[in-house]
Amino acid sequence: MEETPFVKEKVLTHYKEIKEIIRGEFPYPRTVHFFISERCNHTCVGCHSLDLHKEEKPFLNLEIFKSLLNQVKDKGVEGVEISGGGEPLMHPKIEEVIRHASKSGLKVGLFTNAILFNEKNAKNILENCFFIRIAFDASNNEEYEKIHQKNDYEKLLKNIELLVKIKNNYNLKTIIGLKVLVSKINYKNILEMSKKAKQLNVDYIQFKCLRNNENEINKEELSIAKKLLAKSKKLSNKDFKVYSSLEKTHIRNQCFTNPLHTLINSNGDVHLCVFFNHIKTPSIGNIYTQSFDDIWNSKKHKKIIKMPDLKLCNIYDCPFHQYNNYAKDLILDNKMHLEFI
């Protein structure tokens, strides 16, 4: 097994929690994902969250965020992921959001297009993040503009260089990675993007496919992409990795592991999972009006957890597809006799 952040085997570290779920209980999630901003400076091709950008409450309230972390930090939550809906760096108090989560003893991951980094905020954010994952998506300005609808490619490169420079100058351990959604627009330049990532001295570049969009690659294009990825992976060494998961993922049975990872929108709604939010299932509850305990252990949660069906879950790729399939085989069906070492 390759020791990376993206392998299905990591779900086995949730063995005890999954056993609780099987018994009909609701363990606290290990990861809470926040869509803290529903405003975005880009309108990317294939974005699943464009409808969210119309939210009347575009930014999660800072005091509500702090209150929630106080409720959950000693109950099993270990990681906080900050993203959007929109672009998290547009949140007017983004530095305080990240700093508070970090000072609470939680690991913080940030998902961003990186355009709004500057000399003032970059160091503070780097110091308080365990990882920063940046939308890359292009090997040149023309591609970037087609995908992100903005002429910001040079700004992106400049800001990645800034982050790496600060990380190295202050000997920070923050993991800086690049994320590429492979599409008809950029698949021919996978190798170029990998080379550029290595030149930028980031820790990794990850490739996944755009789904449910007119720009999703077909079988012939997928074959070309795989060949380019094989060449790209030869660039990997101890300091730089190329990761990929281009095959369409599928879940075999109804998802039962989503309590391990929940999502909270800027308007306070709590959803089953970050990957299912855009399918428009009802929220479990709202942190503006309820405690997290009341939401998590509610009858509504027990009802909604059984709502998603396989057709909806399989529209997009989702890491919980492989987690569920693997957990079903090894824990639910006990194919490895995990009670015994």
Side-chain angles (χ1 to χ4, degrees):
M1 180 187 74
E2 188 180 6
E3 296 177 352
T4 80
F6 308 111
V7 294
K8 64 182 183 294
E9 288 82 1
K10 70 189 293 184
V11 76
L12 292 181
T13 67
H14 296 269
Y15 173 75
K16 290 185 178 181
E17 294 98 322
I18 291 173
K19 295 284 278 191
E20 291 175 19
I21 294 169
I22 293 170
R23 293 196 298 266
E25 302 169 13
F26 281 103
Y28 269 77
R30 188 179 296 181
T31 305
V32 179
H33 194 115
F34 290 92
F35 280 6
I36 65 165
S37 169
E38 305 299 5
R39 293 288 181 264
C40 196
N41 51 339
H42 287 182
T43 52
C44 299
V45 169
C47 177
H48 302 150
S49 303
L50 290 177
D51 287 345
L52 296 178
H53 299 171
K54 303 171 185 176
E55 280 283 354
E56 293 182 5
K57 294 182 178 179
F59 303 118
L60 185 67
N61 179 275
L62 176 62
E63 296 308 314
I64 292 292
F65 176 80
K66 290 180 177 180
S67 173
L68 180 67
L69 292 193
N70 289 336
Q71 295 175 52
V72 303
K73 66 182 181 181
D74 296 323
K75 295 186 177 182
V77 175
E78 297 183 9
V80 171
E81 293 180 338
I82 305 292
S83 72
E87 166 53 45
L89 295 186
M90 292 192 75
H91 194 288
K93 297 184 178 180
I94 180 61
E95 292 179 64
E96 194 170 350
V97 165
I98 292 174
R99 183 169 57 248
H100 181 81
S102 177
K103 300 306 180 186
S104 296
L106 301 169
K107 292 285 197 305
V108 181
L110 174 67
F111 300 79
T112 174
N113 61 34
I115 301 304
L116 299 178
F117 277 117
N118 54 55
E119 293 278 356
K120 182 179 178 181
N121 66 20
K123 182 174 179 289
N124 181 36
I125 292 173
L126 271 168
E127 286 177 331
N128 289 288
C129 282
F130 181 72
F131 73 79
I132 296 176
R133 193 173 304 168
I134 298 167
F136 199 58
D137 296 329
S139 63
N140 56 63
N141 190 68
E142 181 181 2
E143 278 179 2
Y144 191 86
E145 191 166 0
K146 284 182 180 178
I147 295 169
H148 286 255
Q149 309 295 303
K150 286 290 181 71
N151 183 15
D152 280 339
Y153 185 66
E154 294 304 320
K155 179 69 172 176
L156 171 68
L157 297 182
K158 179 181 177 182
N159 282 349
I160 294 172
E161 290 173 348
L162 171 66
L163 291 171
V164 172
K165 178 182 177 182
I166 292 172
K167 173 184 174 177
N168 293 335
N169 285 350
Y170 291 91
N171 195 29
L172 302 176
K173 303 300 181 184
T174 312
I175 299 163
I176 301 174
L178 309 182
K179 168 77 172 292
V180 177
L181 277 179
V182 177
S183 67
K184 291 181 182 295
I185 299 171
N186 62 14
Y187 77 96
K188 292 182 180 179
N189 290 320
I190 285 174
L191 181 57
E192 284 72 15
M193 285 185 275
S194 299
K195 289 178 178 178
K196 175 62 71 174
K198 190 171 185 177
Q199 291 170 1
L200 288 166
N201 291 317
V202 296
D203 295 290
Y204 69 85
I205 185 169
Q206 179 194 21
F207 294 91
K208 295 186 72 175
C209 279
L210 178 69
R211 299 294 182 198
N212 196 36
N213 185 269
E214 62 183 7
N215 287 294
E216 180 177 350
I217 60 175
N218 58 34
K219 289 183 178 180
E220 291 182 5
E221 293 161 342
L222 176 61
S223 177
I224 294 171
K226 286 181 175 179
K227 291 176 182 177
L228 292 170
L229 270 170
K231 294 180 180 179
S232 296
K233 288 189 175 183
K234 294 179 180 178
L235 298 172
S236 293
N237 55 36
K238 66 181 182 64
D239 298 316
F240 173 74
K241 301 295 182 184
V242 177
Y243 299 124
S244 67
S245 51
L246 297 187
E247 295 290 351
K248 181 74 184 74
T249 66
H250 295 87
I251 188 170
R252 301 195 304 262
N253 301 89
Q254 186 182 63
C255 179
F256 67 96
T257 61
N258 60 58
L260 304 176
H261 185 185
T262 195
L263 166 71
I264 299 174
N265 271 355
S266 65
N267 66 5
D269 282 343
V270 182
H271 289 269
L272 289 180
C273 76
V274 59
F275 311 101
F276 206 78
N277 178 59
H278 42 262
I279 307 297
K280 304 301 182 188
T281 54
S283 68
I284 303 166
N286 190 285
I287 60 171
Y288 282 86
T289 58
Q290 301 165 273
S291 72
F292 192 77
D293 271 339
D294 288 342
I295 294 169
W296 200 247
N297 297 300
S298 66
K299 291 181 180 179
K300 191 173 184 181
H301 191 183
K302 293 178 181 179
K303 179 181 179 180
I304 291 177
I305 195 174
K306 299 177 181 179
M307 185 175 292
D309 62 51
L310 296 185
K311 288 183 180 179
L312 293 177
C313 275
N314 284 324
I315 290 175
Y316 299 99
D317 292 342
C318 171
F320 273 72
H321 290 172
Q322 62 174 351
Y323 295 159
N324 272 271
N325 294 339
Y326 200 61
K328 182 182 183 303
D329 289 343
L330 273 62
I331 301 177
L332 185 60
D333 296 341
N334 201 18
K335 292 183 178 180
M336 284 184 64
H337 303 175
L338 294 178
E339 295 87 350
F340 303 91
I341 296 297

